[in-house]
Amino acid sequence: MISQRRYYLDKLYKDNTEKLKGDVLDIGGKKDNKKGNYRPNSNLKMFFLNNDLSTNPDFNLDANNFHLEIAKKFDFFFLAEILEHLDNPIQTIKSSNQILVKDGIGFISMPFMYRKHNDPKDMQRWTDTKLIEVFNGNGFIVQKIIPMGGLFCVIHDFWMFSVLHSSKLNPLGILNKIIFKIFSPLLRFLDLKTRYLEKSITSGWFLIVKKK
């Protein structure tokens, strides 16, 4: 069972990186046990930074001030679903800027109207206004910011979460699962066709930024 947000996440990363070539630092990404269906194209050489050794990182570092420990420069960086988990996300953004080559590009995603999820903790949600302000104020130019689904995406994913956490022995939980399976395709279709509230009601944001 895949969330509508995950669908947008995979699609946006694929659509915006499939023709790129160069070195990528995936900050907080996992070399092993990946989530979702997105896989970088063969022309992108991936390097992974993570403080969890079980993810098999190339750089076993915390996301804060990591640029002080990495001499290499990268053409691109990914910050996929990471900023909401950090104590000091602005410092991570500054480090991301420092490891880029001149005119390097960053790809970022962050949830907005999305359930609390600890990894290991959940710290914040930012609006598009906040994201643009922070990145523009820390060495980047925001080239593009895209809402990740609208009203029906948010409804679909909150409902799906309730289904996944319903007791298999509870009759109401079983009924909830059955009804969701019936309506899930309709909610996905409606979300793809009706995006009229996405600037106010969205599951999150996808950004493309360029180093100044």
Side-chain angles (χ1 to χ4, degrees):
M1 193 178 294
I2 186 170
S3 69
Q4 187 71 353
R5 174 171 175 77
R6 175 58 62 176
Y7 164 79
Y8 286 120
L9 191 67
D10 289 341
K11 186 176 189 306
L12 285 165
Y13 271 92
K14 180 179 185 298
D15 290 350
N16 288 281
T17 66
E18 63 181 347
K19 295 181 180 179
L20 299 180
K21 181 178 180 180
D23 292 347
V24 182
L25 182 63
D26 191 342
I27 303 159
K30 298 179 180 180
K31 186 184 297 186
D32 299 332
N33 303 316
K34 293 179 180 294
K35 295 179 180 179
N37 297 317
Y38 168 72
R39 298 295 181 268
N41 76 70
S42 59
N43 291 318
L44 290 174
K45 186 175 182 181
M46 301 297 299
F47 297 82
F48 295 87
L49 182 148
N50 203 302
N51 61 4
D52 181 357
L53 280 173
S54 70
T55 67
N56 191 22
D58 298 290
F59 302 100
N60 181 218
L61 297 169
D62 186 85
N64 296 317
N65 292 315
F66 60 83
H67 68 280
L68 299 175
E69 305 295 328
I70 302 176
K72 178 178 173 55
K73 296 291 185 180
F74 298 85
D75 302 291
F76 312 101
F77 72 81
F78 291 171
L79 263 173
E81 312 295 277
I82 298 299
L83 292 175
E84 70 271 22
H85 298 296
L86 302 176
D87 293 308
N88 194 348
I90 293 178
Q91 187 57 56
T92 299
I93 291 168
K94 290 179 178 179
S95 275
S96 301
N97 183 278
Q98 291 297 313
I99 55 86
L100 281 180
V101 300
K102 182 181 178 182
D103 296 329
I105 301 291
F107 300 91
I108 303 101
S109 60
M110 187 180 189
F112 181 54
M113 297 189 73
Y114 190 69
R115 65 178 176 82
K116 183 178 180 183
H117 56 298
N118 294 324
D119 191 17
K121 52 190 174 183
D122 195 346
M123 299 296 291
Q124 61 256 321
R125 299 289 185 273
W126 290 355
T127 64
D128 53 344
T129 306
K130 173 74 170 182
L131 285 161
I132 291 169
E133 180 181 278
V134 169
F135 276 92
N136 281 345
N138 286 281
F140 292 100
I141 300 169
V142 176
Q143 296 186 316
K144 189 181 293 187
I145 183 163
I146 304 170
M148 300 174 70
L151 172 65
F152 293 101
C153 172
V154 173
I155 293 172
H156 178 278
D157 289 359
F158 277 126
W159 191 355
M160 189 181 84
F161 180 72
S162 77
V163 168
L164 293 174
H165 288 78
S166 295
S167 170
K168 295 180 180 179
L169 302 178
N170 186 325
L172 288 178
I174 295 171
L175 180 63
N176 185 34
K177 185 174 183 179
I178 292 170
I179 296 174
F180 175 75
K181 282 189 173 182
I182 294 170
F183 282 96
S184 176
L186 176 62
L187 290 172
R188 291 178 184 274
F189 174 79
L190 289 174
D191 188 62
L192 291 168
K193 297 298 182 181
T194 59
R195 304 289 292 276
Y196 52 91
L197 290 175
E198 64 184 7
K199 289 189 177 180
S200 300
I201 301 175
T202 183
S203 76
W205 312 99
F206 177 84
L207 294 85
I208 301 176
V209 301
K210 183 177 181 180
K211 183 173 182 174
K212 290 181 180 177

